[in-house]
Amino acid sequence: MDTIYVIDFGGQYCHLISRRIRDFGVATKIVPSDVSVEQIQDDPAACGIILSGGALSVFGKDAPVFDARILSLPLPFLGICYGHQLLAHHLGGVVRPGAAGEYGVTPLSVVSRTGIMKGLAKKESVWMNHRDVVSRIPRTWEKTASTAHSAIAAYASKDGRIHGVQFHPEVSHTSRGDMVVKNFVFGVARCKKSRSSRSLVESLVVETRDVIGARRTIIGLSGGVDSSVAAALVSRAIGSRLTAVYVDTGLMRAGETTEIRATFRSLPLKLRVINAQKRFFSALRGVTAPERKRKIIGKLFADIFLEAAKKEKAEVLVQGTIYSDRIESGITKHSSIIKSHHNVGGFPKKFGMQVYEPLRDLYKDEVRALARTLKLPQSILERQVFPGPGLAIRIIGEVTPDRTEIVRRAHVIIEQELRLTPFWRSIWMSFAVLLPIKSVGIQGDERSYRSSIVVRIVESRDAMTANFFRLPYDILEKISTRITNEIREVNRVVYDITNKPPATMEWE
Ligand code: XMP
């Protein structure tokens, strides 16, 4: 599988480069800046190297460690921003601090419309984010573009192997950036398209067998798409040596446990559904503080999982961590395939198992594509995100089985009604929250004094911020009427019209 290596110099756009190339159907590997020459040289699939942007100066004391022997590999190179400067710095050019920085959308004059600049217009609009500039290049290279502050905004070696662009072709603000990257990948590096979900499944199956060998392995299923795909994939590689553990905390959405059983029963893994409802409800008895609830749930979950892992004599722990999880946790360095410990999901280090994350380099939509290839049901693919502590953080006050059932039933009504509307796909999350206050109502000519439900529906791109969803009143009315009609304990429904910030999506 032809592969483009993307060397990560800490630029926030590194994953975008990889994303673009994968969209073209070509495999990528993101590697840290201190990757050794051997790692790339020993990979027969390597067909080109991209050096990413980065925030530092190539001549600064704190410049990232880089094995310059990589530049002697007989492969084509594309340097972007920091990478553009790094190639010049190591290969006989000069880099200097610029008289002024260039930030944002910048006009570019294209001098030579060949190589990676093929197909561009004489004047282009590109996105810049730099202060240092390449001020001289070796005689065997030529300048291919310039801007007001970067006389050498792009260059190419005359033999067509080395290319540099000061601008960022990977961001959408560079109007024809895709063309530049495509020219490098197909025109210069001559990569063949190979990346399909099917080939990805095959290569991940091979990797999984390599990594796990004959060891017993365990995975926690949450019902979400990531852990489901990781389980389906690993089971394809090692069969029943994988035990998938699903802990039914009693705080799951309606039907979730049944669906997990139905989906995973047919796969060649060992499924263990642990009914732990009683343990969770008894641990939560009398607890009302949100953080205490989270801690109790997290600890009990880890204890139960650890008991299962011990029983199974598991040596490897598979986790469904995906690429964006790693970016969000501030992991800019490429994590190794296997780590001796891991803290994601609240699992303590004492777990002592090796962690394997087969989806670590994949983006959410790639994981969804894998789910389709692995024939996981549509319902798993379409699931809204759901918090680890489950319905407990949507029950204000004490978490009891009865109160959980009220929230669960209200959630079902909200989801059923929204699925009938064209808005369903635009909604990030929709759920019910049970308040600890009662209010007076009139139901069937009688005074009632019952619970209140909050309907929370939000839209968001990345969970960091969110807006309440501006749902038409008639749909809200239908939801409200069904909740008060069908759930006897509730006589009042309110709609949460707060954005995040200042509120969070969840209530606790
Ligand atoms: P907030 O409430 O912080 O939620 O706006 C943002 C997103 O994160 C989910 N969330 C959690 N997920 N464990 C999780 O796995 C948690 O403790 C947790 N708290 C919030 C929330 O459902 C929303 O999608």
Side-chain angles (χ1 to χ4, degrees):
M1 212 197 281
D2 284 353
T3 302
I4 294 279
Y5 273 77
V6 182
I7 303 185
D8 179 5
F9 288 98
Q12 52 187 318
Y13 302 106
C14 179
H15 65 284
L16 278 181
I17 303 171
S18 150
R19 182 74 276 213
R20 291 274 171 277
I21 298 172
R22 289 185 190 186
D23 281 346
F24 306 150
V26 172
T28 60
K29 271 196 185 144
I30 299 174
V31 289
S33 60
D34 58 1
V35 60
S36 69
V37 68
E38 289 79 14
Q39 187 181 333
I40 303 179
Q41 171 176 285
D42 293 348
D43 181 353
C47 63
I49 297 178
I50 295 185
L51 308 160
S52 85
L56 298 162
S57 271
V58 289
F59 36 73
K61 278 198 207 97
D62 47 3
V65 178
F66 174 63
D67 182 350
R69 291 177 303 158
I70 288 173
L71 302 178
S72 332
L73 292 174
L75 290 170
F77 286 85
L78 168 62
I80 295 177
C81 192
Y82 179 90
H84 164 82
Q85 297 161 11
L86 190 79
L87 286 171
H89 179 69
H90 280 283
L91 298 175
V94 175
V95 179
R96 290 220 175 100
E102 271 181 316
Y103 305 101
V105 175
T106 308
L108 179 87
S109 303
V110 182
V111 181
S112 163
R113 288 183 284 159
T114 57
I116 62 166
M117 312 301 266
K118 202 170 160 184
L120 299 194
K122 279 189 183 157
K123 297 276 178 214
E124 286 286 346
S125 179
V126 298
W127 201 80
M128 289 283 203
N129 188 21
H130 73 112
R131 179 154 197 123
D132 290 350
V133 292
V134 172
S135 60
R136 215 172 61 216
I137 47 175
R139 266 205 215 113
T140 49
W141 297 7
E142 59 190 2
K143 167 171 111 172
T144 55
S146 62
T147 65
H149 293 287
S150 305
I152 306 173
Y155 55 69
S157 63
K158 289 180 186 159
D159 66 3
R161 200 170 66 84
I162 311 254
H163 302 261
V165 287
Q166 181 58 67
F167 59 87
H168 287 268
E170 72 278 22
V171 306
S172 56
H173 311 290
T174 295
S175 45
R176 264 185 276 202
D178 267 4
M179 192 177 278
V180 173
V181 180
K182 244 185 201 165
N183 283 339
F184 177 73
V185 172
F186 297 112
V188 175
R190 304 199 173 281
C191 289
K192 281 190 217 63
K193 289 189 189 189
S194 59
R195 199 182 158 84
S196 63
S197 275
R198 196 167 298 187
S199 64
L200 193 57
V201 166
E202 282 162 19
S203 65
L204 285 173
V205 163
V206 171
E207 179 192 279
T208 302
R209 286 189 186 132
D210 262 11
V211 169
I212 295 180
R215 292 179 294 174
R216 299 190 66 81
T217 300
I218 196 162
I219 185 170
L221 287 177
S222 70
V225 66
D226 302 342
S227 63
S228 299
V229 167
L233 192 69
V234 173
S235 77
R236 197 174 268 213
I238 64 166
S240 60
R241 266 180 291 130
L242 174 70
T243 301
V245 175
Y246 172 80
V247 180
D248 185 347
T249 59
L251 303 164
M252 320 302 290
R253 287 167 285 192
E256 214 152 346
T257 306
T258 317
E259 190 168 27
I260 289 276
R261 275 189 206 279
T263 305
F264 289 93
R265 209 174 15 217
S266 57
L267 294 185
L269 49 69
K270 191 166 150 195
L271 175 66
R272 280 199 59 198
V273 175
I274 301 177
N275 293 319
Q277 297 97 318
K278 281 198 182 134
R279 281 176 81 173
F280 278 89
F281 284 121
S282 106
L284 288 168
R285 194 168 300 139
V287 178
T288 55
E291 278 313 298
R292 283 249 313 134
K293 280 185 194 171
R294 279 173 190 274
K295 287 217 172 79
I296 290 170
I297 294 169
K299 168 141 193 338
L300 187 51
F301 187 90
D303 287 349
I304 292 172
F305 193 80
L306 186 57
E307 286 162 21
K310 272 195 184 141
K311 209 164 164 185
E312 296 297 325
K313 297 192 175 62
E315 292 175 79
V316 181
L317 169 66
V318 174
Q319 289 196 319
T321 317
I322 68 170
Y323 193 57
S324 55
D325 300 334
R326 295 200 293 127
I327 298 169
E328 275 157 27
S329 345
I331 302 168
T332 52
K333 272 199 151 193
H334 184 77
S335 72
S336 55
I337 285 180
I338 212 153
K339 287 179 262 161
S340 54
H341 57 73
H342 205 273
N343 261 339
V344 171
F347 291 132
K349 290 183 182 176
K350 68 178 180 199
F351 251 48
M353 285 180 282
Q354 285 194 306
V355 173
Y356 173 50
E357 295 169 330
L359 312 179
R360 66 197 174 280
D361 288 330
L362 303 185
Y363 298 88
K364 195 76 175 186
D365 51 341
E366 292 177 307
V367 174
R368 291 216 171 90
L370 283 190
R372 282 188 280 271
T373 308
L374 292 161
K375 301 210 164 33
L376 289 174
Q378 191 69 11
S379 53
I380 287 188
L381 261 128
E382 285 181 351
R383 271 261 159 80
Q384 286 183 354
V385 283
F386 188 60
L391 297 176
I393 57 171
R394 296 174 181 174
I395 297 166
I396 314 304
E398 190 181 5
V399 180
T400 62
D402 289 348
R403 300 190 78 214
T404 308
E405 196 48 33
I406 294 175
V407 158
R408 186 180 285 124
R409 287 172 61 199
H411 184 124
V412 169
I413 293 171
I414 295 169
E415 184 165 329
Q416 280 174 349
E417 290 304 321
L418 290 177
R419 276 181 183 277
L420 299 175
T421 73
F423 307 114
W424 174 246
R425 281 178 187 278
S426 327
I427 290 167
W428 174 272
M429 282 183 109
S430 50
F431 55 89
V433 178
L434 177 64
L435 297 184
I437 52 156
K438 292 187 175 181
S439 70
V440 175
I442 172 135
Q443 285 170 296
D445 292 339
E446 268 181 37
R447 178 187 184 275
S448 67
Y449 187 57
R450 294 192 181 139
S451 296
S452 317
I453 281 282
V454 176
V455 175
R456 179 80 164 138
I457 307 174
V458 293
E459 55 184 348
S460 171
R461 291 190 109 208
D462 52 14
M464 302 302 289
T465 59
N467 289 333
F468 75 86
F469 202 89
R470 284 157 204 267
L471 203 63
Y473 281 152
D474 53 344
I475 303 171
L476 283 171
E477 184 181 27
K478 181 94 185 290
I479 290 173
S480 162
T481 308
R482 276 197 61 193
I483 291 176
T484 47
N485 279 354
E486 294 172 32
I487 309 176
R488 214 192 149 267
E489 297 85 346
V490 179
N491 69 353
R492 192 172 294 270
V493 176
V494 298
Y495 191 49
D496 183 346
I497 53 166
T498 334
N499 295 334
K500 170 185 179 176
T504 52
M505 294 187 202
E506 303 288 351
W507 269 51
E508 289 195 334

